[in-house]
Amino acid sequence: MPLSARQLLTKALHLLDRGETERGESILRDAVASAVESGDSTTTVAALCCLGELLAQQGRRREAVETLRSCLDVPVSDDHGEVSAAERTNARQLLTDLA
């Protein structure tokens, strides 16, 4: 059985914590795709924010900006707005830092 978007995000974060950036990035991208496909806006926002931060840390500014803007463009229902608030705040701050 394939992993859910949330499980993929968790796996990616564990890989990144262990310094496995290439695998972590790949799984983050899988998490984004899975979350979008399943309509999981909360996980989409979280995965895009993490991916944008990773890209910024790697000096991949253009990709980071595009990814962080995508994070902020994800529609989130009022029910889930506060769950995604921290990631959106982080994405806004990262975009300001990259400007």
Side-chain angles (χ1 to χ4, degrees), residues 33-81:
S34 177
V36 168
E37 184 178 310
S38 67
D40 182 349
S41 60
T42 303
T43 303
T44 302
V45 168
L48 284 169
C49 183
C50 290
L51 181 58
E53 185 171 4
L54 176 64
L55 295 168
Q57 289 170 354
Q58 293 176 338
R60 295 159 62 185
R61 185 188 176 283
R62 186 180 53 77
E63 286 178 273
V65 168
E66 289 173 11
T67 301
L68 294 166
R69 285 183 179 153
S70 293
C71 170
L72 295 174
D73 289 342
V74 174
V76 177
S77 69
D78 291 340
D79 296 356
H80 296 103

Side-chain angles (χ1 to χ4, degrees), residues 18 23 43 54-56 63 74 77 87 89 92 95-96:
R18 293 194 327 232
R23 282 189 63 213
T43 303
L54 176 64
L55 295 168
E63 286 178 273
V74 174
S77 69
E87 285 88 357
T89 298
R92 283 186 200 93
L95 280 170
T96 298

